[in-house]
Amino acid sequence: MSASTRNRRTFTALLAAGALALTLGACSSSGGGTSSSSATTGATAASSAAMSSPTASAAMADAPFGAACAAVPKDGAGSFTGMAKDPVATAASNNPLLSTLVTAVKQAGLVDTLNSAQNITVFAPTNDAFAKIPKADLDALLADKAKLTKVLTYHVTPERLAPTALAGTHKTLEGSDLTVNGTQPDFTVNTNSKVLCGNVQTANATVYIVDTVLMPTS
């Protein structure tokens, strides 16, 4: 074999080895890129799954809702956390939005009744709701225990209503029905009383703070 032929074969072998090295490098790089892409996609999917998990959705569903919730104290006994520890009449007494309601409940002698009840829903009129009633009429209502008891028990249902079960007609402790229309966060009770802050939890009740005092028809 001539020297020229040997040189050509050596050169061809070197070219083949170089091409093989380049091919292996490209495969290695491509494999690494695919692995990195898969990891990123997996992380994104895991993050999305966490955000849409039943636990996260349940936490949002359990939270109070409504524009007036911002007026509830951030901490202390009158806050959402504080109210959740006490039975409903006691919890309301610690909330500055509900001081007139608390006075009415005391006048009617219903504190122990409400605090000892289990799994009830209370539609709680704000101070401004009571202020819509002419003063003479409100004073007369507060002085008439039987009538006051009738009005206040009309604001209570004997079942704990979650927002998903709120719309509909519900029997009250007073004996007659009230009707809730709408969907979260826009609920109306008996066509004229708006829910301002809903799904407030106390130890024995779910509270919906409303802007108008509800009056039984009977």
Side-chain angles (χ1 to χ4, degrees):
M1 181 184 296
S2 67
S4 175
T5 300
R6 284 196 301 271
N7 287 338
R8 282 197 302 272
R9 289 183 175 179
T10 300
F11 181 70
T12 300
L14 289 173
L15 285 177
L20 178 60
L22 288 172
T23 301
L24 290 173
C27 289
S28 174
S29 174
S30 175
T34 301
S35 175
S36 175
S37 176
S38 297
T40 301
T41 303
T44 302
S47 176
S48 298
M51 290 296 291
S52 61
S53 68
T55 301
S57 299
M60 291 181 66
D62 288 342
F65 65 86
C69 291
V72 174
K74 302 301 181 186
D75 50 38
S79 67
F80 292 128
T81 301
M83 291 179 71
K85 298 176 182 178
D86 293 320
V88 64
T90 302
S93 71
N94 294 319
N95 191 310
L97 297 175
L98 305 176
S99 58
T100 305
L101 173 62
V102 171
T103 297
V105 168
K106 290 178 178 178
Q107 285 284 100
L110 292 174
V111 172
D112 290 340
T113 300
L114 293 177
N115 276 348
S116 61
Q118 294 300 313
N119 296 321
I120 58 176
T121 295
V122 177
F123 295 90
T126 63
N127 298 337
D128 289 341
F130 279 99
K132 292 180 181 180
I133 302 174
K135 186 177 185 307
D137 293 341
L138 180 57
D139 289 344
L141 177 62
L142 293 173
D144 186 336
K145 185 175 180 179
K147 186 175 181 179
L148 182 59
T149 298
K150 191 176 183 66
V151 169
L152 292 177
T153 54
Y154 183 65
H155 289 74
V156 184
T157 70
E159 56 185 332
R160 200 159 186 159
L161 298 172
T164 53
L166 191 60
T169 299
H170 307 286
K171 183 72 68 178
T172 69
L173 292 187
E174 181 268 339
S176 54
D177 295 338
L178 58 75
T179 301
V180 182
N181 292 302
T183 57
Q184 188 175 338
D186 299 314
F187 288 108
T188 301
V189 188
N190 286 358
T191 73
N192 66 334
S193 187
K194 300 286 187 181
V195 173
L196 302 178
C197 180
N199 204 31
V200 179
Q201 302 301 313
T202 75
N204 67 326
T206 297
V207 177
Y208 293 89
I209 298 175
V210 296
D211 71 351
T212 304
V213 177
L214 306 172
M215 294 294 181
T217 55
S218 57

